[in-house]
Amino acid sequence: MTTSPPEYLEKNNLSEDGMKLLSILPKEKGWLGSYAYNYQGFWVPQKFLQAVIAFQQQFQAQDSDIILVTTPKSGTTWLKSLLFALVNRVKHPILEPNHPLLIENPHVLVPFLEHTLYFDGRTDDISTFTSPRLLATHVPFASLPKSVQVSKSKLVYLCRNPRDTFISMWHFTNSLLPDHKEADSIEEMFNLFCKGVSLYGPFWNHVLDYWKKSIEKPNKILFLMYEEIKKKPKIQLKRLADFLECPFSIEEENSGVVDDILNMCSFENLSNLEVNRNGKFSTGEAYKVFFRRGEIGDWKNYFTIEMCNKLNHIVEEKFQGSGLKFSYV
Ligand code: A3P
């Protein structure tokens, strides 16, 4: 287990109330080289607790908001780019040479609420953002601010099979450690993941809550899966456009706009752009850590039979009767 998290993960802007809260919340040493706290039933890194609370207390949803919700490492960066391209396709035609997605990272164009807009005591006036506001969060459904739940804002939820999610998360957190030193061992992190201790986890609670809500409220929440977008990208992008009430016209379909969006947002294209190869957040992390392989099935290069059996057992038990099935290939 690492003992020296990078500054980005250590910095901690907790108020007095936040410090009091920390002293009573259950905690585990784990992901991201520092403690994770069990807040309202989910695990949040110490670093982001204050921002999650600020988001809950201060955010006022607007009816036109589009909020992307994901389990970390399920393809958020990809879906942010697809959402941005789709919703802004009149203002920014896909083939324009200076399309914002060609010169800016998707996380800048579709910012995280708790990781960016409410992070570290920031007080951006987000009420003035151009409508529809495109925003993102990892917070579980039950912990979303009330205004998100009661407004007509739309939630787009993305998840990915737990094996690839785990492997991607393990690589990601290790890649944030300085010089990749003192990397967390896969066994240790896997045991934590199985115990439910993962970023914004337990994974199964996060996914199941949104899955059930998407069935109850199909006009409010669209449930997407990484593997389905990979396998049938056109169908899933059209589903997304229909859900957001900006369907593709026949003319657009005939002129190839759907393919143009998919090509622009492909792993190959985005990961090779100068901005994503060499750009950085103001906090110092490189954009390139969000682009690794972008495939289904990398788990096969890491999982032992025991790991498969252990996770299968948990997934079968947790998702039994839900109707939700993951694809691993
Ligand atoms: P891998 O680590 O398996 O390669 P997130 O954006 O939620 O942090 O998820 C990151 C994962 O999505 C990484 O998976 C990353 O490579 C993959 N990814 C990023 N951009 C992608 C794209 N345009 N298409 C498909 N996968 C993408």
Side-chain angles (χ1 to χ4, degrees):
M1 175 64 65
T2 178
T3 48
S4 54
E7 195 197 341
Y8 161 64
L9 304 171
E10 262 181 345
K11 223 171 128 230
N12 179 5
N13 186 23
L14 281 174
S15 64
E16 215 172 294
D17 284 349
M19 290 304 285
K20 271 191 208 145
L21 184 62
L22 276 194
S23 67
I24 54 165
L25 290 179
K27 69 176 177 177
E28 281 271 358
K29 187 127 172 67
W31 297 90
L32 293 177
S34 70
Y35 284 103
Y37 287 82
N38 194 297
Y39 171 67
Q40 298 184 344
F42 65 96
W43 291 97
V44 58
Q46 174 174 338
K47 175 84 180 156
F48 297 119
L49 185 60
Q50 185 80 36
V52 167
I53 295 169
F55 165 42
Q56 290 180 319
Q57 292 177 344
Q58 295 166 32
F59 180 69
Q60 276 306 317
Q62 297 173 0
D63 286 340
S64 55
D65 285 346
I66 298 170
I67 305 178
L68 171 64
V69 190
T70 61
T71 45
K73 310 324 292 173
S74 59
T76 318
T77 316
W78 187 19
L79 212 67
K80 282 185 174 187
S81 70
L82 288 170
L83 268 176
F84 185 90
L86 177 71
V87 170
N88 291 294
R89 67 191 191 272
V90 174
K91 189 170 166 199
H92 297 295
I94 302 309
L95 298 178
E96 77 178 9
N98 282 330
H99 191 285
L101 278 165
L102 301 179
I103 49 181
E104 200 43 281
N105 178 266
H107 292 287
V108 174
L109 299 171
V110 183
F112 272 115
L113 285 149
E114 67 279 10
H115 289 183
T116 307
L117 297 171
Y118 289 101
F119 182 64
D120 221 6
R122 269 176 71 164
T123 51
D124 304 36
D125 184 4
I126 63 173
S127 66
T128 59
F129 282 18
T130 315
S131 169
R133 298 186 301 184
L134 293 182
L135 303 163
T137 182
H138 290 313
V139 169
F141 186 83
S143 294
L144 289 175
K146 212 72 240 105
S147 70
V148 175
Q149 305 193 20
V150 298
S151 67
K152 292 193 178 120
S153 60
K154 294 213 175 235
L155 301 180
V156 176
Y157 186 75
L158 176 70
C159 79
R160 186 181 191 184
N161 81 60
R163 296 181 199 164
D164 282 326
T165 302
F166 167 74
I167 291 300
S168 185
M169 205 182 288
W170 178 66
H171 278 287
F172 177 75
T173 53
N174 283 336
S175 75
L176 291 175
L177 297 169
D179 305 325
H180 299 231
K181 276 182 194 154
E182 304 180 80
D184 292 323
S185 87
I186 195 163
E187 292 78 17
E188 198 171 2
M189 292 298 103
F190 181 72
N191 287 335
L192 282 173
F193 186 82
C194 289
K195 264 171 65 181
V197 186
S198 61
L199 308 175
Y200 299 87
F203 173 87
W204 13 94
N205 294 3
H206 201 286
V207 175
L208 265 177
D209 278 356
Y210 280 102
W211 170 249
K212 287 181 189 155
K213 291 286 173 217
S214 74
I215 294 168
E216 270 172 40
K217 301 179 176 188
N219 295 327
K220 172 81 179 171
I221 305 178
L222 176 71
F223 191 96
L224 295 172
M225 291 178 118
Y226 182 91
E227 294 78 16
E228 288 181 355
I229 310 178
K230 271 276 181 193
K231 288 176 193 169
K232 300 208 166 144
K234 278 190 181 183
I235 291 180
Q236 297 302 320
L237 186 58
K238 285 196 224 167
R239 255 185 95 202
L240 181 59
D242 291 345
F243 171 75
L244 295 176
E245 294 165 27
C246 58
F248 291 104
S249 64
I250 305 280
E251 294 74 35
E252 283 184 308
E253 290 211 30
N254 290 343
S255 66
V257 173
V258 181
D259 282 322
D260 291 342
I261 292 179
L262 291 169
N263 289 338
M264 183 169 66
C265 300
S266 68
F267 182 86
E268 291 65 33
N269 188 52
L270 290 185
S271 62
N272 283 310
L273 293 172
E274 168 63 22
V275 61
N276 294 326
R277 281 170 13 143
N278 295 314
K280 285 179 180 177
F281 290 100
S282 54
T283 40
E285 319 83 71
Y287 295 148
K288 67 179 179 209
V289 297
F290 289 95
F291 303 94
R292 196 179 60 90
R293 291 177 64 126
E295 289 166 8
I296 308 171
D298 190 32
W299 61 268
K300 289 182 196 152
N301 297 317
Y302 300 90
F303 267 59
T304 60
I305 292 181
E306 290 72 34
M307 286 166 82
C308 281
N309 289 342
K310 182 167 176 180
L311 195 51
N312 279 355
H313 184 72
I314 298 170
V315 167
E316 269 165 32
E317 186 199 316
K318 301 283 181 189
F319 290 91
Q320 197 180 32
S322 69
L324 186 62
K325 291 263 175 292
F326 293 106
S327 161
Y328 296 100
V329 284

